[in-house]
Structure formats: C-alpha cells, structure tokens
Amino acid sequence: MKKIGIVTIMLVSTFLISGTIYGKGYGKGNGRGQAQVQGQGQQGVYLQNIMNGPRYEVTEQDVKGLLLMREEEKLARDVYYALYKKWQHRAFANIGNSEQQHMNAIKVLLTKYGIEDPVTGENEKRGVFHDAELQKVYNDLLAQGSKSLVAALQVGATVEDLDIKDLNDLLAQTANPDIILVYENLVKGSRNHLRAFAGQLARNNSHYKAQYLTQVE
C-alpha cells in the first residue's frame, strides 16, 4: 500500500499534457462553460462556478498533483466497487459513488486548464490502469480486501488515510484558487470516508491504526 503515492507520481511522466503552463501559460482548455460538469446538488454548482470563473496560473507541480489525484481517486473508486461486489457491504457502494464524484471534480480542473486526462480509453475500465506497478497495487489491495470483511474495511481506511495525506501535501504546494477549493472539498469527503470505515471497523471489533496521517489526525 505504501507504494501508491510513489507509483501514481511516476505515472505523470507517461501522460501527454496539452499545452504549456497557463499563466506562464498552460493550455487554453475548452473555454468557459463548454465542459459538461458532472455532479449533483452543491457539488455540481460549485464545479460549474469553477468552470465559468476566471483562470489562474497553473504550475507544473499543480499539473502533477492533478494527474496524481485523478488516478488516486479512480483507484479508490475501483477498489471499493470491487469490494462491494465481494462483501455486499453498503459502505463500499456509497463511498465508491462518492469517489466517482471526486474523480468528476478533478476532471473539471483538467478540462478547464487543458490538461489531458489520464483516465481515457482502456484506462477508463474499472480495475485497469496505465501503469503496470499501479495495476499491481490495485491487485494487491483487492487480494488483501478479499480475505475478510474486516480486512476489506482496513483497506478502505488505508486508502482514505493516504488520500488525505496526499491532498494536504498538494494543498501546501499550490496557490491556484480553483485547485485549493476542489482539494479542500475532497479532504472533507475523505475525512468522512475515513470516519465511516473506522466506525465500521469498531462495529466489527477492530480498529484502524494510522499509516500516513498521525493517529491524532
């Protein structure tokens, strides 16, 4: 599991990026309001506001972070859907649906700033990833989560633990208001997911020990 952050960062070098830095100036994107914003309720509104709002500078570091999170959110979604199929535990279905919304949010930023989406073609399929090492991580997580329901819940908590750490690290590295808004919303969602998995573990006479965040966090 500890390989995920490293592996997904390595993916960046394998994806084509459209244009050059906006504002230094990265890709033109599709223009205001021309992308379909996927989301429901408040999420759809705030993402539409981002798409229709002003453009800000996007650094190479920002691009790497967005590509990382697009793939990392897909990894979470695919793992949860597979574990739901195995255990029929509603937490995996519900949180998997939420991870799809997280993917959609990152997609809005990729579209606005003209960054090529790594989740296209064959890589759109569940459980299929461009990078062979990331594919192995997915397979390993699924194998671990298939041992028992408790093991599956531990996998879920671990994924969210890492997700929050990566998002916090990326928030500290960006000054782009659009990216900050999306990442902050994703952190809130991931905190809720981690609480949910921790709660389910407690109901199953187990607990989660932090691997990436501090135990206090």
Side-chain angles (χ1 to χ4, degrees), residues 125-140:
K125 295 181 179 179
R126 292 182 189 175
V128 177
F129 300 90
H130 180 275
D131 186 89
E133 289 191 53
L134 184 59
Q135 184 70 61
K136 183 178 183 304
V137 170
Y138 170 83
N139 294 341
D140 289 347

Side-chain angles (χ1 to χ4, degrees), residues 138-152:
Y138 170 83
N139 294 341
D140 289 347
L141 287 173
L142 191 55
Q144 180 182 344
S146 297
K147 294 178 181 178
S148 68
L149 176 58
V150 168

Side-chain angles (χ1 to χ4, degrees), residues 26 34 116:
Y26 211 126
Q34 293 182 8
E116 187 169 342

Side-chain angles (χ1 to χ4, degrees), residues 37-49 101 104 185:
V37 175
Q38 296 180 336
Q40 298 178 350
Q42 292 182 345
Q43 187 194 42
V45 172
Y46 101 84
L47 292 177
Q48 191 66 60
N49 288 339
Q101 297 302 313
N104 294 346
N185 275 280

Side-chain angles (χ1 to χ4, degrees), residues 74-75 77-78 103 118-130 135 138:
K74 181 182 187 295
L75 177 66
R77 183 201 68 179
D78 293 357
M103 288 181 65
V119 183
T120 56
E122 188 71 14
N123 299 331
E124 291 184 83
K125 295 181 179 179
R126 292 182 189 175
V128 177
F129 300 90
H130 180 275
Q135 184 70 61
Y138 170 83

Side-chain angles (χ1 to χ4, degrees), residues 7-18 26 63-64 66-68 70-71 115-120 123 129-131 134:
V7 170
T8 47
I9 290 173
M10 289 171 59
L11 289 175
V12 172
S13 62
T14 67
F15 298 129
L16 296 175
I17 299 173
S18 304
Y26 211 126
V63 173
K64 291 178 181 180
L66 290 170
L67 294 175
L68 166 66
R70 177 72 166 157
E71 283 281 308
I115 304 168
E116 187 169 342
D117 185 6
V119 183
T120 56
N123 299 331
F129 300 90
H130 180 275
D131 186 89
L134 184 59

